[in-house]
Amino acid sequence: MANRGGKGSYPPSKSGAPNGRQMVLISDDSDSDSDDFFEEEAPPTHSKSNGKASSDSLKTGGKASSFSNGSKGGKAFSAGKGGKGSASNAKPAMSDAELKLQLDMSPNSILLTNCEAAEMLQKIQGHMAILSEDPKIKIPESFDKAFQYAKEGNHFTSAKLVKEILEPLKDYGVNDGEICMIANIGPETIEEVYALIPSLKATRSINEGKIAEALTALANIKASK
Amino acid sequence: MVFLQAEMCWNVLISAGQLSPKGLLLRKSIIVRLLEDVTNRKASKEHGYYIAVNGLKEISDGKIRELTGGVLFPVTFTCITQRPMKGEIMVGSVEKILKHGVFLKSGPMENIFMSAKSMSDYKYMAGENPMFMKDYSKLEKYTIVRFKVMGFCWMEADRQFRLLATMAGDFLGPL
């Protein structure tokens, strides 16, 4: 999303900035001023190009994740002419892969897996013919795309069976978000589970056997595509 | 993006002309107006994209608005929504390829950007059909990609989210 001199874009400050802080902004021509993805702060002593940078996620209520840029895969985005992201010699590939799931739900919300959502949306789709006869009834425009997404992301034949297979994992240190991820990803091997959901590694010694059993059971109810 | 079933309480305004002494017609007006409001609002920062209203819990007593004569009904309902979460694994398709990265689309989300730096093994190949290539693997338009969400932000003006994605990691990349 590099912007070519669009509104709100400016090159990051050089190391001679008074507070040594380097701001990297992404913006778009059509956007308001508040559309920066994240900022990168370089501590004053490392304000040169090899400094370690930390970045925050913006406005989402999620925890700020700090990860650094590396020469191999620096994550800094620059906007504007001649803007350069700050780079350092740290390891972004490790940090990206190790980025843990941060569930940020409102208190009155329940997490649904793709298979559960697909079944619910299928029922609504079944009524669509009747609903569409009345021009006053409006359906959100995201419905079709979300329904398509849920169907494609649903790897299993029955949401109820998926829940029965994965629910017991809660007793082995696997939280709701991780269970949802396992159901949505539809992993084939245990290594895939730990690679994609790094937060499970902390309790690997407790849950590895149970997750492997769950994967075997899930393989039996996988839908053919 | 994960699906959520969120319970919400909104105020639905029924104008004086739609009020009916027959209970069911009034109920229908409230539901129709609620669906219209949900469609118009599209999404929120807290709940994500509104997909479908799937349950009506309660319609509380209405309050008359003195100047207009309309009545405001607090309605509690459940709605299926879809919201991005940081660190989650998603699947999307490539929409646009630029030298600095690719734009992806997934479900109702159309503003997902993946920087070229997060797919450092891939090289950009310009041309009529631009793509990123690595050995025998390539990323071109409509390629299905599994990625991880690094971060996202809510754009109040557009009422949508923007996501930042990465492919750096095992089991991520073109499917």
Side-chain angles (χ1 to χ4, degrees), chain B residues 155-173:
Chain B
M155 311 301 302
E156 186 62 49
D158 303 328
R159 294 201 75 81
Q160 57 184 329
F161 289 92
R162 284 192 182 177
L163 257 63
L164 193 58
T166 180
M167 226 167 59
D170 293 333
F171 299 97
L172 297 176

PDB file of all heavy atoms in Angstrom, chain B residues 155-173:
ATOM      1  N   MET B 155     -11.598   1.258   9.500  1.00  0.00           N
ATOM      2  CA  MET B 155     -11.737   2.528   8.794  1.00  0.00           C
ATOM      3  C   MET B 155     -13.158   3.037   9.002  1.00  0.00           C
ATOM      4  O   MET B 155     -14.101   2.520   8.380  1.00  0.00           O
ATOM      5  CB  MET B 155     -11.490   2.331   7.296  1.00  0.00           C
ATOM      6  CG  MET B 155     -10.226   1.555   6.971  1.00  0.00           C
ATOM      7  SD  MET B 155      -8.769   2.350   7.619  1.00  0.00           S
ATOM      8  CE  MET B 155      -8.919   3.903   6.832  1.00  0.00           C
ATOM      9  N   GLU B 156     -13.295   4.002   9.877  1.00  0.00           N
ATOM     10  CA  GLU B 156     -14.641   4.491  10.197  1.00  0.00           C
ATOM     11  C   GLU B 156     -15.311   5.108   8.985  1.00  0.00           C
ATOM     12  O   GLU B 156     -16.519   4.941   8.773  1.00  0.00           O
ATOM     13  CB  GLU B 156     -14.533   5.528  11.334  1.00  0.00           C
ATOM     14  CG  GLU B 156     -15.859   6.012  11.867  1.00  0.00           C
ATOM     15  CD  GLU B 156     -16.710   4.915  12.479  1.00  0.00           C
ATOM     16  OE1 GLU B 156     -16.187   4.146  13.306  1.00  0.00           O
ATOM     17  OE2 GLU B 156     -17.900   4.808  12.114  1.00  0.00           O
ATOM     18  N   ALA B 157     -14.543   5.801   8.165  1.00  0.00           N
ATOM     19  CA  ALA B 157     -15.140   6.494   7.018  1.00  0.00           C
ATOM     20  C   ALA B 157     -15.753   5.497   6.020  1.00  0.00           C
ATOM     21  O   ALA B 157     -16.842   5.701   5.502  1.00  0.00           O
ATOM     22  CB  ALA B 157     -14.071   7.340   6.321  1.00  0.00           C
ATOM     23  N   ASP B 158     -15.032   4.408   5.774  1.00  0.00           N
ATOM     24  CA  ASP B 158     -15.528   3.421   4.809  1.00  0.00           C
ATOM     25  C   ASP B 158     -16.366   2.332   5.476  1.00  0.00           C
ATOM     26  O   ASP B 158     -16.953   1.504   4.787  1.00  0.00           O
ATOM     27  CB  ASP B 158     -14.353   2.718   4.100  1.00  0.00           C
ATOM     28  CG  ASP B 158     -13.450   3.706   3.400  1.00  0.00           C
ATOM     29  OD1 ASP B 158     -13.964   4.735   2.945  1.00  0.00           O
ATOM     30  OD2 ASP B 158     -12.238   3.437   3.312  1.00  0.00           O
ATOM     31  N   ARG B 159     -16.312   2.273   6.786  1.00  0.00           N
ATOM     32  CA  ARG B 159     -16.962   1.217   7.566  1.00  0.00           C
ATOM     33  C   ARG B 159     -16.504  -0.167   7.091  1.00  0.00           C
ATOM     34  O   ARG B 159     -17.285  -1.048   6.733  1.00  0.00           O
ATOM     35  CB  ARG B 159     -18.493   1.318   7.515  1.00  0.00           C
ATOM     36  CG  ARG B 159     -19.028   2.561   8.189  1.00  0.00           C
ATOM     37  CD  ARG B 159     -20.487   2.415   8.578  1.00  0.00           C
ATOM     38  NE  ARG B 159     -20.658   1.564   9.738  1.00  0.00           N
ATOM     39  CZ  ARG B 159     -20.499   1.941  11.002  1.00  0.00           C
ATOM     40  NH1 ARG B 159     -20.145   3.179  11.279  1.00  0.00           N
ATOM     41  NH2 ARG B 159     -20.684   1.090  12.001  1.00  0.00           N
ATOM     42  N   GLN B 160     -15.189  -0.293   7.068  1.00  0.00           N
ATOM     43  CA  GLN B 160     -14.639  -1.616   6.764  1.00  0.00           C
ATOM     44  C   GLN B 160     -13.260  -1.749   7.404  1.00  0.00           C
ATOM     45  O   GLN B 160     -12.703  -0.775   7.890  1.00  0.00           O
ATOM     46  CB  GLN B 160     -14.562  -1.838   5.263  1.00  0.00           C
ATOM     47  CG  GLN B 160     -13.768  -0.815   4.503  1.00  0.00           C
ATOM     48  CD  GLN B 160     -13.829  -1.072   3.010  1.00  0.00           C
ATOM     49  OE1 GLN B 160     -13.945  -2.216   2.568  1.00  0.00           O
ATOM     50  NE2 GLN B 160     -13.731  -0.038   2.220  1.00  0.00           N
ATOM     51  N   PHE B 161     -12.767  -2.970   7.375  1.00  0.00           N
ATOM     52  CA  PHE B 161     -11.462  -3.244   7.955  1.00  0.00           C
ATOM     53  C   PHE B 161     -10.407  -3.289   6.860  1.00  0.00           C
ATOM     54  O   PHE B 161     -10.697  -3.586   5.711  1.00  0.00           O
ATOM     55  CB  PHE B 161     -11.470  -4.615   8.661  1.00  0.00           C
ATOM     56  CG  PHE B 161     -12.267  -4.645   9.936  1.00  0.00           C
ATOM     57  CD1 PHE B 161     -13.606  -5.005   9.918  1.00  0.00           C
ATOM     58  CD2 PHE B 161     -11.679  -4.319  11.149  1.00  0.00           C
ATOM     59  CE1 PHE B 161     -14.346  -5.036  11.079  1.00  0.00           C
ATOM     60  CE2 PHE B 161     -12.418  -4.357  12.326  1.00  0.00           C
ATOM     61  CZ  PHE B 161     -13.755  -4.715  12.291  1.00  0.00           C
ATOM     62  N   ARG B 162      -9.181  -3.025   7.269  1.00  0.00           N
ATOM     63  CA  ARG B 162      -8.044  -3.268   6.400  1.00  0.00           C
ATOM     64  C   ARG B 162      -7.117  -4.218   7.128  1.00  0.00           C
ATOM     65  O   ARG B 162      -6.843  -4.040   8.313  1.00  0.00           O
ATOM     66  CB  ARG B 162      -7.286  -1.976   6.121  1.00  0.00           C
ATOM     67  CG  ARG B 162      -8.002  -1.117   5.121  1.00  0.00           C
ATOM     68  CD  ARG B 162      -7.119  -0.025   4.669  1.00  0.00           C
ATOM     69  NE  ARG B 162      -7.807   0.834   3.738  1.00  0.00           N
ATOM     70  CZ  ARG B 162      -7.283   1.917   3.225  1.00  0.00           C
ATOM     71  NH1 ARG B 162      -6.060   2.268   3.560  1.00  0.00           N
ATOM     72  NH2 ARG B 162      -7.973   2.653   2.381  1.00  0.00           N
ATOM     73  N   LEU B 163      -6.653  -5.211   6.403  1.00  0.00           N
ATOM     74  CA  LEU B 163      -5.816  -6.232   7.035  1.00  0.00           C
ATOM     75  C   LEU B 163      -4.413  -6.206   6.480  1.00  0.00           C
ATOM     76  O   LEU B 163      -4.198  -5.897   5.297  1.00  0.00           O
ATOM     77  CB  LEU B 163      -6.393  -7.623   6.720  1.00  0.00           C
ATOM     78  CG  LEU B 163      -7.178  -8.339   7.819  1.00  0.00           C
ATOM     79  CD1 LEU B 163      -8.403  -7.576   8.173  1.00  0.00           C
ATOM     80  CD2 LEU B 163      -7.495  -9.741   7.386  1.00  0.00           C
ATOM     81  N   LEU B 164      -3.487  -6.575   7.345  1.00  0.00           N
ATOM     82  CA  LEU B 164      -2.113  -6.766   6.914  1.00  0.00           C
ATOM     83  C   LEU B 164      -1.803  -8.244   7.075  1.00  0.00           C
ATOM     84  O   LEU B 164      -2.029  -8.811   8.141  1.00  0.00           O
ATOM     85  CB  LEU B 164      -1.188  -5.934   7.805  1.00  0.00           C
ATOM     86  CG  LEU B 164       0.232  -5.746   7.340  1.00  0.00           C
ATOM     87  CD1 LEU B 164       0.272  -5.095   5.966  1.00  0.00           C
ATOM     88  CD2 LEU B 164       0.999  -4.877   8.314  1.00  0.00           C
ATOM     89  N   ALA B 165      -1.349  -8.873   6.005  1.00  0.00           N
ATOM     90  CA  ALA B 165      -1.178 -10.319   6.009  1.00  0.00           C
ATOM     91  C   ALA B 165       0.283 -10.682   5.828  1.00  0.00           C
ATOM     92  O   ALA B 165       1.091  -9.887   5.344  1.00  0.00           O
ATOM     93  CB  ALA B 165      -2.002 -10.936   4.877  1.00  0.00           C
ATOM     94  N   THR B 166       0.604 -11.903   6.220  1.00  0.00           N
ATOM     95  CA  THR B 166       1.946 -12.412   5.996  1.00  0.00           C
ATOM     96  C   THR B 166       1.874 -13.871   5.565  1.00  0.00           C
ATOM     97  O   THR B 166       0.949 -14.600   5.936  1.00  0.00           O
ATOM     98  CB  THR B 166       2.822 -12.284   7.264  1.00  0.00           C
ATOM     99  OG1 THR B 166       4.118 -12.803   6.973  1.00  0.00           O
ATOM    100  CG2 THR B 166       2.250 -13.080   8.425  1.00  0.00           C
ATOM    101  N   MET B 167       2.870 -14.250   4.774  1.00  0.00           N
ATOM    102  CA  MET B 167       2.955 -15.629   4.328  1.00  0.00           C
ATOM    103  C   MET B 167       4.209 -16.272   4.903  1.00  0.00           C
ATOM    104  O   MET B 167       4.537 -17.400   4.547  1.00  0.00           O
ATOM    105  CB  MET B 167       3.082 -15.614   2.802  1.00  0.00           C
ATOM    106  CG  MET B 167       2.190 -16.591   2.106  1.00  0.00           C
ATOM    107  SD  MET B 167       2.109 -16.272   0.356  1.00  0.00           S
ATOM    108  CE  MET B 167       3.813 -16.412  -0.159  1.00  0.00           C
ATOM    109  N   ALA B 168       4.892 -15.527   5.764  1.00  0.00           N
ATOM    110  CA  ALA B 168       6.152 -16.022   6.315  1.00  0.00           C
ATOM    111  C   ALA B 168       5.828 -17.011   7.417  1.00  0.00           C
ATOM    112  O   ALA B 168       5.347 -16.636   8.477  1.00  0.00           O
ATOM    113  CB  ALA B 168       6.971 -14.854   6.866  1.00  0.00           C
ATOM    114  N   GLY B 169       6.100 -18.259   7.162  1.00  0.00           N
ATOM    115  CA  GLY B 169       5.808 -19.275   8.165  1.00  0.00           C
ATOM    116  C   GLY B 169       5.512 -20.598   7.482  1.00  0.00           C
ATOM    117  O   GLY B 169       5.158 -20.632   6.302  1.00  0.00           O
ATOM    118  N   ASP B 170       5.632 -21.655   8.251  1.00  0.00           N
ATOM    119  CA  ASP B 170       5.363 -22.978   7.679  1.00  0.00           C
ATOM    120  C   ASP B 170       3.889 -23.147   7.385  1.00  0.00           C
ATOM    121  O   ASP B 170       3.028 -22.623   8.092  1.00  0.00           O
ATOM    122  CB  ASP B 170       5.807 -24.063   8.675  1.00  0.00           C
ATOM    123  CG  ASP B 170       7.307 -24.067   8.848  1.00  0.00           C
ATOM    124  OD1 ASP B 170       8.007 -23.656   7.898  1.00  0.00           O
ATOM    125  OD2 ASP B 170       7.773 -24.455   9.932  1.00  0.00           O
ATOM    126  N   PHE B 171       3.592 -23.897   6.363  1.00  0.00           N
ATOM    127  CA  PHE B 171       2.226 -24.234   5.961  1.00  0.00           C
ATOM    128  C   PHE B 171       1.432 -23.027   5.510  1.00  0.00           C
ATOM    129  O   PHE B 171       0.200 -23.074   5.419  1.00  0.00           O
ATOM    130  CB  PHE B 171       1.471 -24.964   7.097  1.00  0.00           C
ATOM    131  CG  PHE B 171       2.100 -26.256   7.493  1.00  0.00           C
ATOM    132  CD1 PHE B 171       2.951 -26.331   8.582  1.00  0.00           C
ATOM    133  CD2 PHE B 171       1.837 -27.417   6.782  1.00  0.00           C
ATOM    134  CE1 PHE B 171       3.553 -27.531   8.943  1.00  0.00           C
ATOM    135  CE2 PHE B 171       2.423 -28.622   7.147  1.00  0.00           C
ATOM    136  CZ  PHE B 171       3.281 -28.680   8.229  1.00  0.00           C
ATOM    137  N   LEU B 172       2.122 -21.911   5.222  1.00  0.00           N
ATOM    138  CA  LEU B 172       1.444 -20.732   4.665  1.00  0.00           C
ATOM    139  C   LEU B 172       1.896 -20.566   3.227  1.00  0.00           C
ATOM    140  O   LEU B 172       3.001 -20.960   2.874  1.00  0.00           O
ATOM    141  CB  LEU B 172       1.802 -19.470   5.469  1.00  0.00           C
ATOM    142  CG  LEU B 172       1.364 -19.443   6.932  1.00  0.00           C
ATOM    143  CD1 LEU B 172       1.873 -18.181   7.620  1.00  0.00           C
ATOM    144  CD2 LEU B 172      -0.144 -19.515   7.055  1.00  0.00           C
ATOM    145  N   GLY B 173       1.042 -19.984   2.418  1.00  0.00           N
ATOM    146  CA  GLY B 173       1.401 -19.759   1.023  1.00  0.00           C
ATOM    147  C   GLY B 173       0.321 -20.263   0.094  1.00  0.00           C
ATOM    148  O   GLY B 173      -0.807 -20.535   0.522  1.00  0.00           O
TER     149      GLY B 173
END
